[in-house]
Amino acid sequence: MKNLAKTTLLLFVAVAVFTACSKDDPTPEGPEASEYTKKVNKFIYEAMNDVYFWYDKLPDIDYNYETDSKAYFEKLLYTDDKWSYITDDVDALEASFEGTEKTYGWSLAFGRFSNTGNIFAIVEFVYPETPASAAGIERGDLIVMMNNADITDANYTDLLYSDNMNITLGVLTQEGIAHDTTLSLTSSVLTLNPVLTTNIVEHDGRKIGYIFYAQYIPDFNSALDNAFSNLVNLGATDLVVDLRYNPGGSIAAAQHLCSCIAPVNIVNENSILVTFKWNNKYQDYFIDRQIMSQVEVYFNNQVPVKMGLNNVYFLTGSGTASASELTITGLRAYMNEVITVGDTTYGKYTASITLKPEDYYSESYSEDISNWGLQPIVLRYANAAGVTDFKNGFAPDIPVEDDLFATFPLGDKNDPLFKAAIEDITGTPIVAMKSAPKVNFGYQIFDRGFSRFDDNKREMLIEQIERPE
């Protein structure tokens, strides 16, 4: 038995070798793949046939005749699987999971004006000490041109991925949107603390704590501890955690966050937070040998700050996924009320691992394909009450539109989602001291993102696995 762990916080395994097709399979039509591509394809097949949750539903495809490895991987995916992923830049993927990105430091929503069809970007939030913040970019800023040209369907993601650019900001007027300042930005490789904002709002005799959390990264659990310690020291009576743009991340970070929030007796008893179900090979192995750490995740009674709450509010949106949803459903099994405010969450009840050729083969064999990596779905999870398979996400208890044309700073009591949570906690309305800009045109938000690895950040990542030898 071997206990394997990686500093990248991702689960991985090394497994026995399987063959891609039997000798009785008919000879495929078409050209053979190159030797390099066959090597990549072999790695793909053997990894998927081992630990993929739906390994027993893999189609019978001879990888020797698959000339595009990424296309071959897509052919293997089960119908319900919209999450598994392949990359030929695994180092950058793993760095992204740890919070290190080549980035401008902004999260953007992309929309289309109804009257013109023109595409725009609007800023959801900005990390401090990044190129975007240095340029003075703020939440709610509107980007209407890029490199002195229109933003189009073909180029809009350059706002996330490019090395440098000029952007033109737009400003709301009574006639519509006028062009304003043009700024020049250059992206940087940065490690970003996902705990952006902590705040206390006093309203109707309550002290309501607020934390904005952008991604579940265990290396920043200490930042969560500092945030909770600050709220406790300021006498917080209630808690609102803003997950509206949080795509997920590591189970260890979710375990930490939940343990800081949940009732103290639940945390102190190391109660079950969630259970895992693997494919039948792994599940049977873990259960037969009573390796319960691989099928159950517990609250952590060693967290330094325990708020011991019976009620908590989460601000949610379509970008709220994976470990964010685990936090919500995991706490609902133990707390009086876990209230969601905003929009329906993404709907992600599965977890993944990152596998690399070196996890399967010798260094000499895997060296030339070492840049490849897979992130297959390996399990689904349920909370202590058995809730799982929430494919359509969690509908909000209090629906509120996150109108990015009427934004306030994160943690401001006038922000519509935070405002709704405060009013529900206290039963007293907030009299607006500020007026938001009004728009008199139609638009539709069609995409959003922070980096090229946004889809992967919706995965729930696991630290380690014990496997049969």
Side-chain angles (χ1 to χ4, degrees):
M1 181 67 59
K2 189 182 296 183
N3 189 5
L4 303 175
K6 301 194 76 173
T7 58
T8 52
L9 311 175
L10 309 180
L11 173 70
F12 74 97
V13 293
V15 294
V17 174
F18 296 85
T19 57
C21 61
S22 74
K23 63 182 180 180
D24 297 325
D25 291 340
T27 302
E29 296 180 1
E32 282 196 52
S34 68
E35 292 306 311
Y36 174 86
T37 301
K38 287 180 183 179
K39 203 170 184 179
V40 176
N41 292 352
K42 178 182 178 183
F43 157 59
I44 292 170
Y45 179 79
E46 290 171 359
M48 296 291 279
N49 196 46
D50 173 58
V51 74
Y52 186 47
F53 187 69
W54 298 281
Y55 81 98
D56 54 346
K57 295 180 173 59
L58 292 176
D60 187 14
I61 300 173
D62 188 340
Y63 60 65
N64 292 294
Y65 294 85
E66 294 295 319
T67 57
D68 183 330
S69 294
K70 290 184 178 179
Y72 168 59
F73 176 79
E74 294 295 328
K75 291 178 182 179
L76 295 180
L77 299 185
Y78 180 59
T79 304
D80 289 348
D81 183 4
K82 59 182 179 179
W83 308 292
S84 292
Y85 180 79
I86 185 170
T87 180
D88 56 7
D89 191 0
V90 71
D91 290 340
L93 173 65
E94 291 184 308
S96 175
F97 286 136
E98 294 179 349
T100 299
E101 304 267 1
K102 188 170 187 181
T103 178
Y104 294 107
W106 56 27
S107 181
L108 302 177
F110 300 100
R112 198 184 311 273
F113 295 118
S114 300
N115 57 343
T116 65
N118 291 344
I119 291 176
F120 63 88
I122 192 164
V123 179
E124 295 175 331
F125 67 90
V126 177
Y127 281 94
E129 300 179 7
T130 60
S133 66
I137 302 295
E138 298 180 340
R139 172 171 162 81
D141 280 350
L142 181 65
I143 303 169
V144 292
M145 295 188 71
M146 176 173 57
N147 296 327
N148 302 312
D150 289 338
I151 303 171
T152 68
D153 288 294
N155 70 16
Y156 76 88
T157 56
D158 289 349
L159 287 163
L160 301 177
Y161 309 157
S162 62
D163 292 331
N164 51 72
M165 69 172 66
N166 293 322
I167 60 167
T168 301
L169 300 181
V171 60
L172 292 177
T173 70
Q174 291 187 348
E175 289 74 34
I177 294 183
H179 289 187
D180 193 20
T181 311
T182 296
L183 303 172
S184 179
L185 293 92
T186 299
S187 62
S188 299
V189 176
L190 301 168
T191 299
L192 304 170
N193 181 349
V195 184
L196 266 71
T197 303
T198 306
N199 190 26
I200 285 271
V201 170
E202 297 189 34
H203 186 65
D204 197 28
R206 313 287 296 185
K207 290 187 174 182
I208 300 162
Y210 171 92
I211 296 174
F212 180 90
Y213 192 39
Q215 186 180 344
Y216 285 76
I217 306 174
D219 283 354
F220 291 96
N221 283 349
S222 60
L224 282 175
D225 296 335
N226 292 338
F228 280 108
S229 179
N230 183 50
L231 295 182
V232 170
N233 291 338
L234 292 174
T237 57
D238 303 272
L239 177 66
V240 177
V241 181
D242 195 338
L243 301 177
R244 75 183 90 173
Y245 308 124
N246 190 316
S250 167
I251 179 62
Q255 177 191 43
H256 196 92
L257 177 61
C258 291
S259 300
C260 293
I261 295 172
V264 172
N265 66 306
I266 298 300
V267 178
N268 286 345
E269 293 169 3
N270 292 120
S271 301
I272 293 174
L273 177 60
V274 292
T275 59
F276 292 157
K277 182 177 180 180
W278 302 74
N279 71 31
N280 62 338
K281 293 184 292 186
Y282 276 79
Q283 191 77 6
D284 291 347
Y285 177 82
F286 295 144
I287 296 299
D288 289 347
R289 288 158 182 78
Q290 288 295 288
I291 308 174
M292 301 314 294
S293 62
Q294 296 295 303
V295 293
E296 295 176 346
V297 177
Y298 313 97
F299 286 89
N300 177 13
N301 63 14
Q302 299 301 307
V303 293
V305 182
K306 301 171 186 173
M307 289 197 73
L309 300 174
N310 288 310
N311 305 297
V312 66
Y313 286 70
F314 291 104
L315 308 186
T316 62
S318 61
T320 305
S322 187
S324 294
E325 294 171 304
L326 182 147
T327 298
I328 294 167
T329 191
L331 289 175
R332 277 181 169 163
Y334 295 104
M335 300 181 71
N336 290 342
E337 286 190 313
V338 176
I339 305 297
T340 55
V341 182
D343 204 351
T344 301
T345 63
Y346 179 73
K348 178 70 165 52
Y349 53 91
T350 57
S352 71
I353 62 179
T354 294
L355 301 172
K356 299 188 286 187
E358 67 197 54
D359 302 326
Y360 286 81
Y361 311 114
S362 66
E363 182 177 351
S364 60
Y365 181 88
S366 62
E367 183 176 8
D368 62 332
I369 62 169
S370 61
N371 55 320
W372 287 87
L374 306 182
Q375 193 177 310
I377 295 301
V378 298
L379 60 84
R380 72 180 185 208
Y381 69 85
N383 73 2
V387 176
T388 186
D389 290 358
F390 43 89
K391 297 179 181 180
N392 297 319
F394 296 121
D397 298 300
I398 304 172
V400 181
E401 181 185 3
D402 185 23
D403 184 357
L404 293 171
F405 279 99
T407 57
F408 293 92
L410 296 169
D412 188 306
K413 67 180 180 180
N414 293 285
D415 170 71
L417 275 69
F418 190 27
K419 177 175 179 286
I422 294 170
E423 292 177 339
D424 196 68
I425 290 168
T426 63
T428 304
I430 291 175
V431 178
M433 301 300 292
K434 309 174 188 178
S435 60
K438 303 295 182 183
V439 298
N440 54 6
F441 51 81
Y443 67 92
Q444 181 180 17
I445 301 297
F446 65 88
D447 199 2
R448 61 171 304 276
F450 176 77
S451 84
R452 63 192 175 110
F453 295 113
D454 284 327
D455 288 344
N456 308 98
K457 290 180 181 180
R458 294 192 184 105
E459 306 297 354
M460 189 178 73
L461 312 173
I462 308 168
E463 269 66 26
Q464 62 187 24
I465 180 175
E466 295 185 24
R467 67 171 183 86
E469 288 291 341

